[in-house]
Amino acid sequence: MLLLACQQPPRGKEYLKSHPEELAEVLKSCADGTHPDPQECSNAQSVRTLDLKLRSLSPRPGKSDVR
């Protein structure tokens, strides 16, 4: 019971988005099954998915849509 009282709440999506080093650590530990908090894994995966989608929509430097 005491361990549960000391456990930190899961880091939220906004926090993870603004702390990329911690995001990478959480994603790594979630992938290898060592992360203790499934909610934090879900938050980290959501941030990663959104980032990948936004990158895919952004124009690439040096590329032009002029036809």
Side-chain angles (χ1 to χ4, degrees):
M1 185 82 162
L2 184 59
L3 282 177
L4 292 176
C6 295
Q7 197 172 30
Q8 295 179 356
R11 289 171 276 193
K13 294 173 189 175
E14 288 300 317
Y15 178 87
L16 291 168
K17 187 171 26 170
S18 63
H19 295 85
E21 300 84 17
E22 290 185 48
L23 173 62
E25 290 174 16
V26 171
L27 288 169
K28 182 179 178 189
S29 64
C30 292
D32 67 19
T34 61
H35 197 75
D37 190 332
Q39 180 62 53
E40 202 165 84
C41 289
S42 177
N43 291 345
Q45 188 60 47
S46 293
V47 170
R48 180 176 174 255
T49 300
L50 178 60
D51 182 57
L52 291 172
K53 286 182 179 182
L54 290 174
R55 287 177 191 232
S56 73
L57 295 174
S58 298
R60 295 184 181 144
K63 299 278 182 175
S64 174
D65 282 344
V66 178
R67 294 176 193 217

